[in-house]
Amino acid sequence: MTDILRVEGLNKYFRKKHAVRDVSFSMQSGEILGLLGPNGAGKTTTMRMITGFLAASAGSIRIDGEEIGTDPKAAKRKIGYMPESAPLYSDMIVEDYLAYVAAMQGEDAAVKVPRLAVLCGLAEVMHKCIGELSKGYRQRVGLAHALMNDPEILILDEPTSGLDPNQIIEVRNLIKEIGRTRTVIISTHILGEVEMLCDRVIIISRGRIVADSPTAELRSRYGHRASLRVQVSGCTTQELSAALSSLPGAGSAAPAGAESGLASCIVSVDGESELRPSVFSLVRDRGWVLWEMTVERNSLEDVFRTLTTGGDEA
């Protein structure tokens, strides 16, 4: 199967600043990709190069097998892009604005506008001025704009930024529906959003890709899947730490806050290991008393912090 998008060796310089460094990845049709990274990591610059808004300093971008620089107009017709602040004309009525976008893109407004009004949940506000809409509805208008030419690739930069909880749920559901038939790239700071929406995650730090994995495998591939918090009496924290670290399947054990007179540690769990029976046997055999044993599942946030902390960001 031909990749709908292939990025190879992408680099971008802004004078002496190396903002994007050797970024390479590919996507197939119907995939929803989450693009994550700290502020200034190079996410938005990468997306702008993919859309053709910025020229790459080096590397190649292929849309459906064709280099974007060979026929930029044809390549851009396969891409829909919604920036973080969708550039809308606030003094226009929603229906007139979408008809205008259709005319600019050579689409039949009589067919496309009603269809997008239904798909994006705009039927109730088509007669309203864009400036009067809530931010949630303005995001929907931005999505309708990005979808006007039936793009094969949809790129969304912080699509739920600034929305209230109800609006966030509505926009997420809309993205899920759109993602059934299109390839979608989402840049967001909301890590829970990535876990709910995305099939795959790419994490960029200081302009480089530091992780590229299916969402379901990210935690196990780039960090411990879980940790175990153990609290006992009858020994010191140092003794407990040493004993836990010696168990098969255990990683490092670090002291944790505990009640007076108790020893407490958090021990990382390697892979799919199940430590609880071994910990119970250890405590019993040593003559200690077990007060607490709690599994703490590592989150996507833990992986993100591990992969992106340290050093200056590009």
Side-chain angles (χ1 to χ4, degrees):
M1 181 180 295
T2 303
D3 295 323
I4 187 66
L5 172 66
R6 177 171 288 275
V7 176
E8 295 181 326
L10 202 61
N11 284 267
K12 182 63 180 177
Y13 292 89
F14 293 103
R15 295 185 179 179
K16 294 182 179 181
K17 182 178 178 63
H18 198 173
V20 175
R21 306 166 183 256
D22 300 317
V23 166
S24 298
F25 65 93
S26 61
M27 293 182 67
Q28 294 186 347
S29 182
E31 191 174 10
I32 301 181
L33 171 71
L35 191 61
L36 301 179
N39 289 332
K43 306 184 303 299
T44 298
T45 300
T46 298
M47 290 191 297
R48 288 179 175 175
M49 286 190 285
I50 293 172
T51 63
F53 182 79
L54 285 177
S57 301
S60 68
I61 300 166
R62 294 183 179 274
I63 309 295
D64 204 13
E66 294 293 328
E67 175 65 41
I68 194 171
T70 303
D71 190 349
K73 188 174 181 180
K76 290 176 184 179
R77 286 193 64 83
K78 297 182 179 181
I79 298 173
Y81 176 46
M82 189 179 79
E84 181 175 354
S85 297
L88 307 174
Y89 293 121
S90 60
D91 57 344
M92 292 185 72
I93 292 171
V94 174
E95 185 171 11
D96 291 346
Y97 174 77
L98 293 178
Y100 166 73
V101 172
M104 291 291 290
Q105 297 188 2
E107 301 290 341
D108 186 346
V111 174
K112 287 295 186 67
V113 172
R115 185 184 301 167
L116 288 170
V118 173
L119 175 62
C120 296
L122 292 168
E124 295 180 358
V125 298
M126 293 296 283
H127 63 287
K128 291 188 176 182
C129 187
I130 290 174
E132 298 173 359
L133 301 180
S134 67
K135 185 164 184 181
Y137 271 115
R138 291 199 298 272
Q139 292 291 81
R140 289 170 178 266
V141 175
L143 276 172
H145 181 161
L147 291 167
M148 183 62 72
N149 63 332
D150 290 325
E152 297 179 45
I153 302 170
L154 184 63
I155 300 177
L156 308 174
D157 192 358
E158 301 288 349
T160 60
S161 175
L163 303 186
D164 67 36
N166 290 332
Q167 293 169 340
I168 288 173
I169 292 171
E170 291 171 358
V171 172
R172 284 176 182 169
N173 289 337
L174 179 55
I175 293 170
K176 283 183 182 179
E177 184 63 28
I178 292 169
R180 296 179 189 274
T181 57
R182 292 175 176 84
T183 299
V184 182
I185 300 176
I186 301 172
S187 171
T188 178
H189 286 90
I190 305 173
L191 301 182
E193 192 162 81
V194 172
E195 293 188 285
M196 285 184 280
L197 290 176
C198 301
D199 309 307
R200 177 176 158 208
V201 177
I202 287 178
I203 299 178
I204 294 180
S205 179
R206 299 185 294 277
R208 298 182 185 275
I209 291 178
V210 295
D212 183 351
S213 172
T215 308
E217 299 176 12
L218 190 67
R219 282 174 288 187
S220 58
R221 181 174 294 185
Y222 292 99
H224 296 292
R225 179 175 293 273
S227 298
L228 193 63
R229 181 184 181 90
V230 180
Q231 193 165 238
V232 305
S233 61
C235 69
T236 65
T237 297
Q238 291 74 16
E239 289 172 330
L240 177 61
S241 176
L244 292 175
S245 299
S246 68
L247 293 174
S252 60
E259 299 174 36
S260 177
L262 300 180
S264 181
C265 287
I266 295 178
V267 57
S268 58
V269 179
D270 291 337
E272 299 291 339
S273 299
E274 174 54 82
L275 283 185
R276 284 173 290 185
S278 299
V279 171
F280 178 81
S281 297
L282 170 71
V283 172
R284 180 197 59 200
D285 294 345
R286 297 287 180 94
W288 302 336
V289 177
L290 181 63
W291 285 70
E292 178 186 354
M293 183 162 55
T294 308
V295 175
E296 297 180 354
R297 299 291 176 187
N298 286 358
S299 66
L300 181 57
E301 181 177 357
D302 296 323
V303 176
F304 180 85
R305 287 177 58 82
T306 298
L307 293 174
T308 61
T309 53
D312 296 328
E313 295 166 11

